[in-house]
Amino acid sequence: MVLLGGVCDRGRARHAAAAAGPKMQGFPARREGVIECLLCPTTKAIFCMSDRKLFVTTALPYANGNFHIGHIMEYIQADIWVRMQRMHGHEVYFVGADDAHGAPIMIAAEKAGKTPQQFVAEIAAGRKQYLDGFHIAFDNWHSTDGPENHALAQAIYRDLRANGLIVTKTIEQFFDPQKGMFLPDRFIKGECPKCGAQDQYGDSCEACGAVYAPTELKNPYSALSGATPVLKSSEHYFFKLSDPRCSAFLEAWTSEPGRLQPEVLNKIREWFVPDEEGKSRLADWDISRDAPYFGIEIPDAPGKYFYVWLDAPIGYLASLKNYFGKIGKDYDAFMADPEVEQYHFIGKDIIYFHTLFWPATLHFSGRKTPTKVFVHGFLTVNNGEKMSKSRGTGLDPLKYLQLGMNPEWLRYYLAAKLSSRNEDIDFNADDFMARVNA
């Protein structure tokens, strides 16, 4: 059963489609359709219908564990929005994938005595029970380790290189002397160089949102062994985000009316203000990692692999291409169509990657850029408390289903709490019961 239809008060759907996500405005209506309320078939609703073509994604979950409630919230929000668009008569393709690459997966697979491919495949096999259980209807679920992603990532890299936006630099990297390997960003921890928060990862701060190089961390240590890492030199490949062409494009792209929510745009604008020395805050982006690494090899660079954040969003395109291969649709023709609209639903913790790196990568490789990026806040519990397994404050989506709880209750509750703004929402058991039972 689907929660939403042509909704009415008698159906108790409470206009959840509007509450679940950003409203689409300004598109020409070409015809009208009559749709019955799915919960109350005697009531009919009038919808303006048109021939829009939409490509919709959610952020890719990292393939090192099961879905958590934050994933499910985002998928429900996007799923409701997609259903609403289809009810308007639009052609919509809704795809997802597992983010399958990176040293963390390589290390986890090694500990489990499996190959990375085996490890990721076992994680992927468990996705269906969550998606089906909460009535989340992706058209396709793929993997960033699929052949489509390998081909697309390498093609995009070559196009960026041909555009003069790939450079090499010799950098110093942290090396774990006990493990005998260069440390991935996520396996280096220390104090944030911007705000001083402790136990922050080597690429970004969860407290203040700053992005930085691992070598900028204060009092760093290896998350694998606890050892103090040492610096070693290595040649890396960079995307020249500091190039004036990138700055000019991104300032224009992010400022396009309706592209980003106002609060997201306000945050992004901070990156266009020169720093204290008058330099651009848009630093060149390190897109390479040294072997051993589970990922996609960089063309003409033996022993070098794409950093996972380079190939992960390309996985959106790869999943769509994989799906079109299954249904016999021309991927290249679809993506070349200027009428096609591209939408991404993401959490606020990955704004930087999706509103700066990703559109610049697409634009300067000659590809379509996103029409809009919808950003939601975090899901907290009990009046703003962060979810924690150790404190027993988490909400396990699979356990919810195993207890026989109606998935439509949670869909409705989250839809009623979410809005078009980038705001945290709180799950409270008493509030949940009151809303469902009202």
Side-chain angles (χ1 to χ4, degrees):
M1 184 180 76
V2 180
L3 174 65
L4 300 172
V7 294
C8 68
D9 289 336
R10 286 168 56 189
R12 292 191 64 221
R14 312 263 182 99
H15 301 283
K23 299 176 182 178
M24 299 306 302
Q25 299 176 345
F27 292 96
R30 302 180 185 175
R31 62 185 188 278
E32 290 186 340
V34 179
I35 301 178
E36 293 182 346
C37 173
L38 295 179
L39 297 182
C40 182
T42 60
T43 303
K44 298 182 183 297
I46 304 298
F47 284 85
C48 291
M49 305 177 74
S50 66
D51 297 319
R52 290 167 56 205
K53 300 175 184 178
L54 287 73
F55 165 36
V56 184
T57 76
T58 55
L60 306 189
Y62 202 52
N64 64 345
N66 295 326
F67 288 144
H68 55 66
I69 192 60
H71 294 127
I72 299 301
M73 178 184 74
E74 180 173 292
Y75 302 160
I76 287 174
Q77 181 186 36
D79 179 79
I80 292 173
W81 192 81
V82 164
R83 290 175 188 268
M84 180 269 291
Q85 297 295 343
R86 285 175 172 154
M87 288 166 56
H88 279 267
H90 306 319
E91 179 183 345
V92 186
Y93 299 97
F94 181 34
V95 302
D98 278 307
D99 181 2
H101 291 144
I105 286 176
M106 178 184 71
I107 293 167
E110 181 182 351
K111 289 180 179 178
K114 301 168 184 173
T115 66
Q117 290 83 354
Q118 290 172 329
F119 182 86
V120 168
E122 289 182 8
I123 295 294
R127 302 304 200 197
K128 182 176 172 59
Q129 59 186 331
Y130 291 85
L131 300 177
D132 289 353
F134 287 99
H135 306 167
I136 299 162
F138 285 100
D139 293 313
N140 194 51
W141 192 268
H142 199 37
S143 167
T144 57
D145 197 41
E148 298 88 355
N149 204 45
H150 281 251
L152 282 168
Q154 292 177 337
I156 287 173
Y157 168 80
R158 289 189 177 99
D159 290 335
L160 292 173
R161 185 175 62 184
N163 209 0
L165 289 171
I166 301 296
V167 295
T168 58
K169 302 177 185 180
T170 298
I171 67 166
E172 288 189 317
Q173 284 182 275
F174 279 131
F175 185 87
D176 187 328
Q178 291 188 18
K179 298 292 290 185
M181 63 177 288
F182 284 107
L183 287 169
D185 295 348
R186 288 270 142 171
F187 285 87
I188 307 165
K189 285 193 169 185
E191 297 173 16
C192 172
K194 306 294 184 182
C195 72
Q198 296 185 342
D199 296 321
Q200 297 304 308
Y201 291 111
D203 56 355
S204 61
C205 177
E206 293 181 333
C208 71
V211 178
Y212 42 74
T215 51
E216 295 181 78
L217 277 176
K218 298 177 182 178
N219 301 316
Y221 64 91
S222 168
L224 291 177
S225 67
T228 300
V230 297
L231 289 172
K232 283 194 173 184
S233 297
S234 177
E235 184 180 60
H236 274 223
Y237 290 74
F238 287 78
F239 174 43
K240 292 179 62 179
L241 196 65
S242 66
D243 189 292
R245 290 175 293 170
C246 291
S247 301
F249 162 71
L250 288 171
E251 284 201 61
W253 184 86
T254 56
S255 298
E256 185 73 22
R259 184 84 70 191
L260 302 172
Q261 294 131 291
E263 59 273 24
V264 174
L265 178 58
N266 288 338
K267 179 65 178 176
I268 290 301
R269 280 175 171 158
E270 296 175 7
W271 296 98
F272 301 130
V273 178
D275 63 16
E276 295 79 3
E277 299 178 358
K279 297 179 181 178
S280 171
R281 295 180 189 270
L282 295 175
D284 293 345
W285 182 31
D286 188 345
I287 61 169
S288 66
R289 294 296 182 268
D290 293 287
Y293 192 82
F294 178 50
I296 299 173
E297 290 185 273
I298 298 179
D300 310 314
K304 304 291 183 180
Y305 293 80
F306 289 126
Y307 173 43
V308 64
W309 262 111
L310 185 283
D311 80 80
I314 296 172
Y316 301 143
L317 309 180
S319 184
L320 183 69
K321 187 172 185 177
N322 174 262
Y323 179 58
F324 280 4
K326 295 174 182 177
I327 64 174
K329 190 173 179 66
D330 190 327
Y331 166 83
D332 292 327
F334 180 82
M335 293 305 294
D337 185 348
E339 297 299 315
V340 169
E341 303 165 34
Q342 182 172 324
Y343 297 95
H344 301 302
F345 283 78
I346 65 166
K348 66 180 183 180
D349 56 328
I350 51 176
I351 288 174
Y352 189 85
F353 295 102
H354 281 81
T355 61
L356 296 176
F357 291 143
W358 178 229
T361 298
L362 290 172
H363 177 73
F364 289 103
S365 66
R367 288 163 175 81
K368 181 187 301 294
T369 56
T371 305
K372 186 162 186 174
V373 179
F374 298 137
V375 182
H376 61 78
F378 296 140
L379 179 62
T380 61
V381 292
N382 303 326
N383 300 316
E385 184 179 352
K386 188 175 181 180
M387 291 194 183
S388 168
K389 288 183 180 179
S390 61
R391 292 195 298 268
T393 56
L395 179 61
D396 184 342
L398 192 57
K399 186 175 182 180
Y400 177 98
L401 295 173
Q402 291 170 343
L403 289 172
M405 302 280 280
N406 191 332
E408 297 294 359
W409 296 346
L410 189 61
R411 284 178 66 97
Y412 163 67
Y413 182 74
L414 293 175
K417 301 275 280 189
L418 286 160
S419 73
S420 62
R421 295 184 60 80
N422 172 22
E423 297 174 334
D424 293 349
I425 69 169
D426 191 68
F427 181 92
N428 180 282
D430 292 335
D431 181 47
F432 174 73
M433 289 188 290
R435 286 178 181 264
V436 171
N437 291 330

